[in-house]
Amino acid sequence: MLFALLCEDRADAGSLRAETRPAHLEHLKALGSTLRFAGPFLGADEKPNGSLLVVEAESLEAARALADADPYAKAGLFASVTVRRWNWTVNNPEEA
């Protein structure tokens, strides 16, 4: 099952995203095919202010555990993380 992780940065996070980014990217690479895609949300200033990840997991609880294991989450970067079941229906490369 696919799950979307919708992560919003804390407004007062300052440089925490930049400081934690190398560990975050290493973590994402280690997920292998569990991670379908990921990237930052951008504000009007073109600076990252959150993240979107789509992961494959067996349950909502397993997807939440993946979200909680992210170095960004562990560092306290996010004000909120929403985990929602997601269905890839358009332009899914596995359906091509």
Side-chain angles (χ1 to χ4, degrees), residues 16-94:
L16 187 56
R17 177 177 275 273
E19 294 164 2
T20 314
R21 188 170 190 266
H24 166 73
L25 293 177
E26 185 175 315
H27 169 75
L28 294 184
K29 289 176 186 173
L31 291 176
S33 63
T34 296
L35 177 66
R36 294 304 187 91
F37 60 84
F41 290 115
L42 302 176
D45 59 1
E46 293 296 312
K47 293 183 180 176
N49 61 11
S51 299
L52 167 64
L53 297 84
V54 172
V55 298
E56 187 164 352
E58 293 186 15
S59 66
L60 179 64
E61 294 77 17
R64 170 60 66 184
L66 288 171
D68 292 344
D70 188 312
Y72 279 169
K74 288 182 175 183
L77 174 64
F78 300 132
S80 68
V81 176
T82 303
V83 180
R84 296 183 65 180
R85 178 83 167 87
W86 186 70
N87 187 26
W88 197 342
T89 57
V90 177
N91 290 337
N92 181 342
E94 291 183 359

